[in-house]
Amino acid sequence: MAHDIAALATELADMAAADHRSSIRANSDDPAEQLAWRRLTARHGDRLSEIMDEYGWPTAELVGEEAAHAAWLIAQHADRQLDVQRRALQLMQQAVSEGAAGPRELAFLRDRTLVNEGREQVYGTQIAGVNDGSPVPWPCEEPERMDELRAEVGIEPFDEYVAKFAMA
């Protein structure tokens, strides 16, 4: 079992590294690059679904911090697999309630899933676009409480968060 877990941790970390290397393709002007990104994230989403079937949510206690973060990233990028995102969200919510996962990553996944469902997000983590040089979030349920809700899960205020993108 320990060997299986070590192999799983390595596999998750490798998938996240491939995701990171390929993420530039997500918004490419080249349709072939976009397609390559979509295929990669779909393969990863399928594999994460199998992992969740076998192990539940891959927590840091099970696979280590790096691999647990990798699992979250894979779920976050499974944008065309709402079933995978919804299931990851449910399992991760349970892990957070048991103290086995962090509320910050859960908040990002919750917002991403809501936006992919065509609903309003909660924490303002998903950016819809740029208006006059400033990033604009997808619509939020309670925009006036966004920074308060962000603080509750350990996310910096929206203005600080988007300032990182403005420098890029």
Side-chain angles (χ1 to χ4, degrees):
M1 180 73 167
H3 172 72
D4 291 349
I5 298 299
L8 175 62
T10 299
E11 180 184 8
L12 285 165
D14 288 349
M15 290 187 333
D19 181 289
H20 186 70
R21 284 191 307 272
S22 299
S23 63
I24 189 105
R25 297 176 174 172
N27 298 313
S28 171
D29 292 335
D30 181 348
E33 287 192 0
Q34 282 188 30
L35 184 59
W37 166 254
R38 289 178 184 175
R39 286 181 175 153
L40 176 83
T41 56
R43 275 195 317 274
H44 289 173
D46 290 346
R47 180 61 183 128
L48 181 61
S49 186
E50 293 170 319
I51 291 166
M52 291 186 296
D53 285 345
E54 189 169 348
Y55 299 97
W57 185 251
T59 62
E61 184 179 344
L62 180 68
V63 295
E65 288 289 338
E66 180 186 4
H69 181 75
W72 165 80
L73 181 71
I74 292 160
Q76 187 80 351
H77 287 168
D79 291 318
R80 287 164 193 83
Q81 296 166 293
L82 265 173
D83 57 325
V84 173
Q85 280 188 331
R86 287 177 180 133
R87 186 142 163 259
L89 186 65
Q90 180 184 14
L91 291 172
M92 196 175 186
Q93 174 69 57
Q94 184 180 340
V96 167
S97 69
E98 295 167 359
R104 186 178 195 278
E105 288 179 338
L106 178 65
F108 275 84
L109 184 57
R110 182 173 181 199
D111 274 0
R112 186 81 166 231
T113 304
L114 287 168
V115 166
N116 286 334
E117 291 173 340
R119 296 166 55 196
E120 292 180 336
Q121 62 179 327
V122 175
Y123 303 97
T125 64
Q126 302 304 298
I127 305 300
V130 178
N131 188 4
D132 293 328
S134 297
V136 177
W138 283 97
C140 292
E141 290 176 2
E142 299 179 272
E144 69 286 350
R145 290 190 61 223
M146 185 172 60
D147 281 340
E148 174 190 339
L149 295 168
R150 291 169 73 93
E152 289 174 7
V153 295
I155 302 173
E156 65 269 55
F158 184 76
D159 289 343
E160 288 178 32
Y161 176 67
V162 297
K164 293 189 277 189
F165 297 106
M167 291 186 284

Short mmCIF file of all heavy atoms in Angstrom, two decimals, residues 113-146:
data_model
loop_
_atom_site.label_atom_id
_atom_site.label_comp_id
_atom_site.label_asym_id
_atom_site.label_seq_id
_atom_site.Cartn_x
_atom_site.Cartn_y
_atom_site.Cartn_z
N THR A 113 -16.10 26.03 -10.05
CA THR A 113 -17.23 25.15 -10.37
C THR A 113 -18.50 25.97 -10.59
O THR A 113 -19.23 25.74 -11.55
CB THR A 113 -17.41 24.10 -9.26
OG1 THR A 113 -16.18 23.38 -9.08
CG2 THR A 113 -18.50 23.11 -9.62
N LEU A 114 -18.76 26.93 -9.71
CA LEU A 114 -19.95 27.78 -9.87
C LEU A 114 -19.92 28.52 -11.20
O LEU A 114 -20.93 28.57 -11.92
CB LEU A 114 -20.04 28.79 -8.72
CG LEU A 114 -20.46 28.23 -7.36
CD1 LEU A 114 -20.21 29.25 -6.25
CD2 LEU A 114 -21.91 27.79 -7.38
N VAL A 115 -18.78 29.10 -11.55
CA VAL A 115 -18.66 29.82 -12.82
C VAL A 115 -18.89 28.86 -13.99
O VAL A 115 -19.60 29.19 -14.95
CB VAL A 115 -17.28 30.52 -12.92
CG1 VAL A 115 -16.99 30.98 -14.35
CG2 VAL A 115 -17.23 31.72 -11.96
N ASN A 116 -18.32 27.66 -13.91
CA ASN A 116 -18.51 26.68 -14.98
C ASN A 116 -19.96 26.21 -15.09
O ASN A 116 -20.39 25.77 -16.15
CB ASN A 116 -17.57 25.48 -14.80
CG ASN A 116 -16.14 25.85 -15.17
OD1 ASN A 116 -15.91 26.75 -15.96
ND2 ASN A 116 -15.20 25.14 -14.58
N GLU A 117 -20.70 26.34 -14.01
CA GLU A 117 -22.13 26.01 -14.03
C GLU A 117 -22.99 27.19 -14.49
O GLU A 117 -24.21 27.08 -14.56
CB GLU A 117 -22.59 25.59 -12.62
CG GLU A 117 -22.02 24.27 -12.18
CD GLU A 117 -22.34 23.93 -10.71
OE1 GLU A 117 -22.69 24.83 -9.93
OE2 GLU A 117 -22.25 22.75 -10.38
N GLY A 118 -22.33 28.34 -14.74
CA GLY A 118 -23.07 29.53 -15.16
C GLY A 118 -23.71 30.27 -13.99
O GLY A 118 -24.65 31.03 -14.17
N ARG A 119 -23.19 30.04 -12.79
CA ARG A 119 -23.75 30.67 -11.59
C ARG A 119 -22.79 31.74 -11.07
O ARG A 119 -21.64 31.83 -11.50
CB ARG A 119 -23.99 29.59 -10.54
CG ARG A 119 -25.06 28.59 -11.04
CD ARG A 119 -25.14 27.31 -10.25
NE ARG A 119 -25.35 27.54 -8.83
CZ ARG A 119 -25.14 26.59 -7.91
NH1 ARG A 119 -24.73 25.40 -8.24
NH2 ARG A 119 -25.35 26.86 -6.64
N GLU A 120 -23.25 32.52 -10.12
CA GLU A 120 -22.41 33.55 -9.50
C GLU A 120 -21.45 32.90 -8.52
O GLU A 120 -21.82 31.98 -7.78
CB GLU A 120 -23.28 34.58 -8.77
CG GLU A 120 -24.12 35.42 -9.72
CD GLU A 120 -24.97 36.45 -8.99
OE1 GLU A 120 -25.28 36.26 -7.79
OE2 GLU A 120 -25.32 37.45 -9.64
N GLN A 121 -20.22 33.41 -8.51
CA GLN A 121 -19.22 32.88 -7.58
C GLN A 121 -19.37 33.54 -6.21
O GLN A 121 -20.11 34.50 -6.05
CB GLN A 121 -17.82 33.06 -8.16
CG GLN A 121 -17.42 34.51 -8.38
CD GLN A 121 -16.01 34.64 -8.92
OE1 GLN A 121 -15.13 33.86 -8.60
NE2 GLN A 121 -15.78 35.65 -9.75
N VAL A 122 -18.63 33.02 -5.24
CA VAL A 122 -18.72 33.51 -3.87
C VAL A 122 -17.53 34.41 -3.52
O VAL A 122 -17.71 35.48 -2.95
CB VAL A 122 -18.77 32.31 -2.87
CG1 VAL A 122 -18.74 32.80 -1.42
CG2 VAL A 122 -20.00 31.46 -3.14
N TYR A 123 -16.32 33.97 -3.87
CA TYR A 123 -15.10 34.62 -3.37
C TYR A 123 -14.41 35.55 -4.38
O TYR A 123 -13.42 36.19 -4.03
CB TYR A 123 -14.10 33.55 -2.92
CG TYR A 123 -14.66 32.65 -1.86
CD1 TYR A 123 -15.19 31.40 -2.19
CD2 TYR A 123 -14.69 33.05 -0.52
CE1 TYR A 123 -15.73 30.57 -1.22
CE2 TYR A 123 -15.23 32.22 0.46
CZ TYR A 123 -15.75 30.99 0.10
OH TYR A 123 -16.27 30.17 1.07
N GLY A 124 -14.90 35.60 -5.59
CA GLY A 124 -14.29 36.49 -6.59
C GLY A 124 -12.92 36.02 -7.05
O GLY A 124 -12.07 36.83 -7.40
N THR A 125 -12.69 34.72 -7.07
CA THR A 125 -11.38 34.20 -7.47
C THR A 125 -11.26 34.02 -8.98
O THR A 125 -10.15 33.89 -9.49
CB THR A 125 -11.09 32.85 -6.81
OG1 THR A 125 -12.05 31.88 -7.26
CG2 THR A 125 -11.12 32.95 -5.28
N GLN A 126 -12.37 34.02 -9.68
CA GLN A 126 -12.35 33.76 -11.12
C GLN A 126 -12.53 35.07 -11.87
O GLN A 126 -13.49 35.80 -11.65
CB GLN A 126 -13.44 32.76 -11.51
CG GLN A 126 -13.30 31.42 -10.78
CD GLN A 126 -11.94 30.78 -10.99
OE1 GLN A 126 -11.57 30.46 -12.12
NE2 GLN A 126 -11.19 30.59 -9.92
N ILE A 127 -11.59 35.35 -12.74
CA ILE A 127 -11.55 36.61 -13.48
C ILE A 127 -12.25 36.44 -14.83
O ILE A 127 -11.94 35.52 -15.59
CB ILE A 127 -10.08 37.06 -13.68
CG1 ILE A 127 -9.35 37.15 -12.33
CG2 ILE A 127 -10.02 38.38 -14.44
CD1 ILE A 127 -9.94 38.09 -11.33
N ALA A 128 -13.18 37.35 -15.11
CA ALA A 128 -13.94 37.28 -16.36
C ALA A 128 -13.19 37.93 -17.51
O ALA A 128 -13.34 37.54 -18.66
CB ALA A 128 -15.30 37.95 -16.18
N GLY A 129 -12.40 38.94 -17.20
CA GLY A 129 -11.69 39.67 -18.23
C GLY A 129 -11.05 40.91 -17.65
O GLY A 129 -10.92 41.03 -16.44
N VAL A 130 -10.63 41.80 -18.54
CA VAL A 130 -9.96 43.03 -18.13
C VAL A 130 -10.74 44.21 -18.69
O VAL A 130 -11.11 44.22 -19.85
CB VAL A 130 -8.49 43.04 -18.64
CG1 VAL A 130 -7.81 44.34 -18.26
CG2 VAL A 130 -7.73 41.85 -18.09
N ASN A 131 -11.00 45.20 -17.83
CA ASN A 131 -11.72 46.40 -18.23
C ASN A 131 -10.86 47.61 -17.87
O ASN A 131 -10.54 47.81 -16.70
CB ASN A 131 -13.07 46.46 -17.51
CG ASN A 131 -13.96 47.57 -18.03
OD1 ASN A 131 -13.60 48.26 -18.99
ND2 ASN A 131 -15.10 47.75 -17.39
N ASP A 132 -10.45 48.38 -18.87
CA ASP A 132 -9.58 49.55 -18.66
C ASP A 132 -8.32 49.18 -17.88
O ASP A 132 -7.90 49.90 -16.97
CB ASP A 132 -10.34 50.68 -17.93
CG ASP A 132 -11.44 51.27 -18.78
OD1 ASP A 132 -11.27 51.31 -20.02
OD2 ASP A 132 -12.46 51.71 -18.22
N GLY A 133 -7.75 48.03 -18.21
CA GLY A 133 -6.51 47.60 -17.57
C GLY A 133 -6.67 46.94 -16.22
O GLY A 133 -5.69 46.53 -15.61
N SER A 134 -7.90 46.82 -15.72
CA SER A 134 -8.13 46.21 -14.40
C SER A 134 -8.88 44.89 -14.55
O SER A 134 -9.92 44.85 -15.21
CB SER A 134 -8.96 47.13 -13.51
OG SER A 134 -8.27 48.32 -13.28
N PRO A 135 -8.37 43.81 -13.90
CA PRO A 135 -9.10 42.55 -13.93
C PRO A 135 -10.47 42.69 -13.28
O PRO A 135 -10.62 43.38 -12.27
CB PRO A 135 -8.20 41.60 -13.13
CG PRO A 135 -6.84 42.21 -13.21
CD PRO A 135 -7.09 43.70 -13.22
N VAL A 136 -11.45 42.05 -13.87
CA VAL A 136 -12.83 42.10 -13.38
C VAL A 136 -13.27 40.67 -13.07
O VAL A 136 -13.12 39.77 -13.90
CB VAL A 136 -13.77 42.69 -14.47
CG1 VAL A 136 -15.21 42.70 -14.01
CG2 VAL A 136 -13.31 44.08 -14.86
N PRO A 137 -13.82 40.45 -11.86
CA PRO A 137 -14.25 39.09 -11.53
C PRO A 137 -15.55 38.73 -12.24
O PRO A 137 -16.33 39.61 -12.62
CB PRO A 137 -14.48 39.15 -10.02
CG PRO A 137 -14.87 40.56 -9.75
CD PRO A 137 -14.09 41.39 -10.77
N TRP A 138 -15.76 37.43 -12.42
CA TRP A 138 -17.09 36.96 -12.82
C TRP A 138 -18.06 37.47 -11.76
O TRP A 138 -17.66 37.73 -10.62
CB TRP A 138 -17.13 35.43 -12.86
CG TRP A 138 -16.48 34.85 -14.07
CD1 TRP A 138 -15.21 34.37 -14.16
CD2 TRP A 138 -17.06 34.67 -15.36
NE1 TRP A 138 -14.96 33.92 -15.43
CE2 TRP A 138 -16.08 34.10 -16.19
CE3 TRP A 138 -18.31 34.96 -15.91
CZ2 TRP A 138 -16.30 33.79 -17.52
CZ3 TRP A 138 -18.54 34.65 -17.25
CH2 TRP A 138 -17.54 34.07 -18.04
N PRO A 139 -19.34 37.59 -12.09
CA PRO A 139 -20.31 38.08 -11.09
C PRO A 139 -20.26 37.26 -9.80
O PRO A 139 -20.07 36.05 -9.82
CB PRO A 139 -21.65 37.91 -11.81
CG PRO A 139 -21.31 38.00 -13.26
CD PRO A 139 -19.96 37.34 -13.39
N CYS A 140 -20.43 37.98 -8.69
CA CYS A 140 -20.41 37.37 -7.35
C CYS A 140 -21.79 37.47 -6.70
O CYS A 140 -22.53 38.42 -6.94
CB CYS A 140 -19.41 38.09 -6.46
SG CYS A 140 -17.71 37.86 -6.93
N GLU A 141 -22.09 36.49 -5.85
CA GLU A 141 -23.36 36.47 -5.13
C GLU A 141 -23.51 37.71 -4.26
O GLU A 141 -24.57 38.32 -4.22
CB GLU A 141 -23.43 35.23 -4.22
CG GLU A 141 -23.57 33.93 -4.97
CD GLU A 141 -23.54 32.71 -4.04
OE1 GLU A 141 -23.45 32.87 -2.80
OE2 GLU A 141 -23.61 31.58 -4.57
N GLU A 142 -22.45 38.03 -3.51
CA GLU A 142 -22.49 39.17 -2.59
C GLU A 142 -21.23 40.01 -2.79
O GLU A 142 -20.31 39.94 -1.98
CB GLU A 142 -22.56 38.69 -1.15
CG GLU A 142 -23.78 37.87 -0.79
CD GLU A 142 -23.74 37.43 0.66
OE1 GLU A 142 -23.17 36.36 0.93
OE2 GLU A 142 -24.27 38.17 1.50
N PRO A 143 -21.18 40.81 -3.86
CA PRO A 143 -19.94 41.55 -4.14
C PRO A 143 -19.50 42.46 -2.99
O PRO A 143 -18.31 42.64 -2.76
CB PRO A 143 -20.27 42.36 -5.39
CG PRO A 143 -21.73 42.24 -5.62
CD PRO A 143 -22.23 41.08 -4.84
N GLU A 144 -20.45 42.97 -2.25
CA GLU A 144 -20.11 43.87 -1.14
C GLU A 144 -19.44 43.12 0.01
O GLU A 144 -18.77 43.73 0.84
CB GLU A 144 -21.36 44.63 -0.64
CG GLU A 144 -22.41 43.80 0.06
CD GLU A 144 -23.26 42.88 -0.83
OE1 GLU A 144 -23.19 42.99 -2.08
OE2 GLU A 144 -24.00 42.04 -0.28
N ARG A 145 -19.61 41.80 0.08
CA ARG A 145 -19.00 40.99 1.15
C ARG A 145 -17.80 40.18 0.64
O ARG A 145 -17.23 39.41 1.40
CB ARG A 145 -20.03 40.01 1.73
CG ARG A 145 -21.10 40.69 2.55
CD ARG A 145 -21.95 39.67 3.32
NE ARG A 145 -21.12 38.91 4.25
CZ ARG A 145 -21.22 37.58 4.43
NH1 ARG A 145 -22.09 36.86 3.75
NH2 ARG A 145 -20.44 36.95 5.28
N MET A 146 -17.43 40.37 -0.63
CA MET A 146 -16.40 39.53 -1.23
C MET A 146 -15.10 39.49 -0.41
O MET A 146 -14.60 38.42 -0.10
CB MET A 146 -16.11 40.01 -2.66
CG MET A 146 -15.15 39.12 -3.42
SD MET A 146 -15.01 39.58 -5.17
CE MET A 146 -14.44 41.26 -5.08
#
